[in-house]
Amino acid sequence: MPNAIVNGARINYVRLCEGNNEQEPEDLVMVHGLAANIAFWYFKYACDFARSFRVTVFDLRGHGRSEMTESGYSPANLAQDLTALMDQLNIRKAHLVAHSFGGVIAMNFALQHADRVRSLVLADTHIAVARHVKSPEEWAHGHTIQTILNNNAIELDTKDPYFGYKLLTKVAKMQLEDTPVPPELLHLVNPLTNNAGGRTAAQWLRLMQCTSAEAEMMGDDGLSLKALSGFTFPIIAMYGDRSPARLTGHELLNLWPHAEFRNVRNAGHFFPASRADEVISACRRFWHGDLADTQRRYRAGEPQRGYFRSDRIFQDTLGWYFTTRELPLVGPFARFEDAHAILTQSLTDASAT
């Protein structure tokens, strides 16, 4: 794989493009989250999106095959890594897709270079200013996770603002010590459990123990609500309804009246890994303008402000489903197109009666 020396570090990256030569494709840059690497986006997303874009995926500093430096892990510095990589690859302007901490990096980049962002897809990104928010919609699923932790004598608190970071480290240690990880926790630490031989777990612990990454990543992320409110480029923000990051989603909802907010049903933090087809479908509809503000519909008496919307058609472990007001759950179907066809017919039949 190619690599580039950017901002004082060797960064591993891959570029893909399958478009025709009739016109220059637009650039799409994908940013993974903590403890993940290029593979998070490469296999399920980059190869698909490369039919429409020139796609760039890369390993963050200290992740995958990129260099693990002693320092340089603050969101601001990682955003400088992104800037330098785009400069070296002659990417003047790009669509950005980012998951989790990758979204923090992407938004730091956008604060400095808003003119270089065509659009932004945020997937379950949590920001520091929202980590201490107390609201009626606090992480309800956290009570279930806390019970699992307590039953397995794992001393972590789901109310800790940085619970996710600490869970990654705890599970990495358990893996390397051959201590069984409760199955109910595996979906919360997806990057660590989808690799052979615990290589990602070992790399994560080395990053936490041998560099300043932990202190830098859990410090000020540079994202104030006032600064973020200035974003005017197209945005879609997707959040799992079982994820603690959903608190950030509700904060951002009030900042970006032009943005689209999507609820991913029955999903946790790592839904891009388990629900790729659903995320790809949402991204393509967003880029094509199918989710544009001008096409939103409000019910009678409903205030015209931002809302989390749930797609009638959604993916789950067994396939595709749809819901209506009269039919709470129909499926599974093998393909999105199959569910869409039956839903359309159901709505047609209902309107005819």
Side-chain angles (χ1 to χ4, degrees):
M1 292 184 181
N3 58 75
I5 304 300
V6 299
N7 194 25
R10 176 180 49 77
I11 301 298
N12 179 57
Y13 70 92
V14 174
R15 305 192 82 186
L16 305 91
C17 184
E18 299 178 8
N20 56 48
N21 296 321
E22 295 180 3
Q23 59 183 17
E24 188 77 5
E26 293 181 340
D27 281 290
L28 171 64
V29 179
M30 310 189 75
V31 191
H32 67 75
L34 298 182
N37 54 48
I38 273 179
F40 188 84
W41 294 125
Y42 182 83
F43 294 103
K44 295 181 179 179
Y45 290 87
C47 295
D48 185 292
F49 291 156
R51 299 199 299 265
S52 306
F53 301 97
R54 180 167 49 216
V55 179
T56 300
V57 290
F58 67 102
D59 288 324
L60 293 176
R61 179 189 295 250
H63 293 69
R65 296 184 181 181
S66 287
E67 183 179 0
M68 187 179 292
T69 55
E70 292 184 4
S71 61
Y73 299 96
S74 70
N77 195 68
L78 292 173
Q80 291 176 17
D81 288 355
L82 173 57
T83 303
L85 179 62
M86 288 176 61
D87 288 345
Q88 193 162 138
L89 298 178
N90 295 315
I91 301 174
R92 174 67 191 87
K93 195 168 187 176
H95 300 275
L96 299 178
V97 176
H99 173 248
S100 191
F101 192 75
V104 176
I105 297 168
M107 287 191 283
N108 268 272
F109 171 83
L111 286 178
Q112 299 300 318
H113 307 285
D115 61 321
R116 300 183 67 173
V117 181
R118 292 189 184 278
S119 70
L120 174 62
V121 175
L122 287 179
D124 227 65
T125 289
H126 214 356
I127 63 176
V129 73
R131 288 184 181 275
H132 300 278
V133 170
K134 303 296 182 183
S135 75
E137 298 190 50
E138 243 183 310
W139 188 29
H141 192 57
H143 298 296
T144 301
I145 301 302
Q146 189 65 62
T147 299
I148 295 169
L149 295 171
N150 294 343
N151 290 343
N152 289 274
I154 299 175
E155 297 181 358
L156 291 174
D157 183 356
T158 57
K159 294 182 180 180
D160 187 317
Y162 292 94
F163 167 71
Y165 293 68
K166 295 175 181 180
L167 180 63
L168 283 171
T169 300
K170 180 63 177 179
V171 171
K173 291 179 179 178
M174 294 174 71
Q175 280 192 297
L176 296 183
E177 294 169 356
D178 291 327
T179 301
V181 179
E184 301 92 339
L185 298 181
L186 295 181
H187 71 284
L188 298 177
V189 289
N190 182 273
L192 297 180
T193 57
N194 285 338
N195 72 99
R199 290 191 299 271
T200 301
Q203 185 175 29
W204 174 256
L205 286 181
R206 190 163 67 252
L207 183 65
M208 292 294 100
Q209 296 170 353
C210 302
T211 76
S212 61
E214 182 174 14
E216 292 187 75
M217 290 173 176
M218 294 192 206
D220 180 14
D221 62 15
L223 301 175
S224 70
L225 296 180
K226 181 178 180 179
L228 293 176
S229 66
F231 289 173
T232 58
F233 44 76
I235 299 171
I236 181 172
M238 291 179 277
Y239 283 87
D241 61 6
R242 294 182 178 178
S243 170
R246 184 65 176 266
L247 297 177
T248 286
H250 285 287
E251 293 296 306
L252 297 179
L253 187 68
N254 299 317
L255 295 185
W256 300 330
H258 68 292
E260 183 70 27
F261 285 81
R262 312 302 290 183
N263 172 61
V264 184
R265 300 172 189 265
N266 305 323
H269 182 60
F270 287 102
F271 66 81
S274 60
R275 309 268 285 272
D277 290 344
E278 187 174 352
V279 176
I280 289 171
S281 174
C283 286
R284 289 202 173 279
R285 286 181 289 140
F286 166 63
W287 291 322
H288 292 164
D290 297 340
L291 303 178
D293 186 58
T294 54
Q295 296 189 23
R296 292 180 187 170
R297 297 291 182 268
Y298 295 92
R299 298 171 184 169
E302 182 181 63
Q304 295 191 17
R305 62 176 180 82
Y307 288 92
F308 268 94
R309 306 285 184 179
S310 296
D311 283 331
R312 283 181 169 177
I313 303 174
F314 64 95
Q315 186 186 25
D316 213 329
T317 53
L318 297 178
W320 291 88
Y321 297 81
F322 71 78
T323 67
T324 67
R325 291 184 180 182
E326 295 75 23
L327 302 170
L329 188 66
V330 180
F333 299 91
R335 303 182 306 150
F336 171 89
E337 292 78 9
D338 299 333
H340 183 269
I342 300 299
L343 171 60
T344 300
Q345 185 61 52
S346 298
L347 295 176
T348 301
D349 294 343
S351 63
T353 59

